[in-house]
Amino acid sequence: MRVLFVCTGNTCRSPMAEGIARRLAAARGLTGVEFASAGTGAAAESPATDGALLVSMEQGVDLGEHRSRPLTAELVAQADLVLAMGAGHLERAQQLGGAGKSFLLTDYASRGTSPRPVSDPFGAELHVYRQTFEELEQEIARVLDRLEEERGAGAP
């Protein structure tokens, strides 16, 4: 299974989400799931922001090698599940062929009970990045719970 996280610039939320998902999946021994990220307005090859790098490093997630990439129809087609940080990101993923497999991260994690955007820390102070990291960690843990439950029930 391939999970694609989507935000705007692919330098804050989606790379943090990708790193968190990898760390949590490894800690659970969850195999057969790949994680990637992209941005609806991303410039190719930009590093993660300093705030995202630092806060992620504090939590054992290394974003040092991350380079941004624009969201494309090809990336959407390769993904089995597209998890967007906000409504505009979700709309763009659906326009690129992701209808039926694209969701707001919080909507998917909560099974439809809490569809809201993930706060954007871009340009903010480190405490805002830390809050966003914690928010992502909670939501992604719920996503992995759901994926594990659906696997156990025989879903792909």
Side-chain angles (χ1 to χ4, degrees):
M1 167 171 258
R2 292 181 179 170
V3 179
L4 179 66
F5 295 101
V6 179
C7 70
T8 305
N10 192 217
T11 59
C12 296
R13 291 174 289 178
S14 60
M16 287 195 297
E18 179 183 354
I20 290 166
R22 285 185 177 146
R23 187 191 73 197
L24 292 178
R28 292 174 181 223
L30 181 60
T31 60
V33 183
E34 297 175 21
F35 302 100
S37 64
T40 58
E45 299 297 316
S46 294
T49 63
D50 290 345
L53 282 166
L54 180 60
V55 169
S56 296
M57 190 180 307
E58 290 173 350
Q59 299 298 321
V61 174
D62 183 3
L63 299 182
E65 298 298 315
H66 173 77
R67 295 296 176 265
S68 62
R69 62 183 174 168
L71 183 66
T72 64
E74 182 180 355
L75 287 174
V76 172
Q78 292 170 353
D80 299 300
L81 177 63
V82 179
L83 297 175
M85 300 298 152
H89 310 126
L90 175 60
E91 183 179 330
R92 185 65 182 138
Q94 291 171 337
Q95 290 170 347
L96 291 171
K101 65 178 180 179
S102 300
F103 305 88
L104 278 177
L105 171 64
T106 56
D107 193 31
Y108 187 85
S110 69
R111 299 173 192 254
T113 63
S114 182
R116 58 179 174 68
V118 172
S119 60
D120 186 357
F122 185 76
E125 308 234 350
L126 280 180
H127 76 275
V128 177
Y129 277 90
R130 289 184 182 108
Q131 290 170 345
T132 300
F133 189 98
E134 289 174 19
E135 180 182 9
L136 287 168
E137 197 167 40
Q138 291 172 356
E139 297 299 332
I140 291 166
R142 294 166 64 189
V143 166
L144 296 181
D145 289 344
R146 181 172 176 177
L147 293 177
E148 287 178 318
E149 287 171 21
E150 290 175 357
R151 264 191 185 176

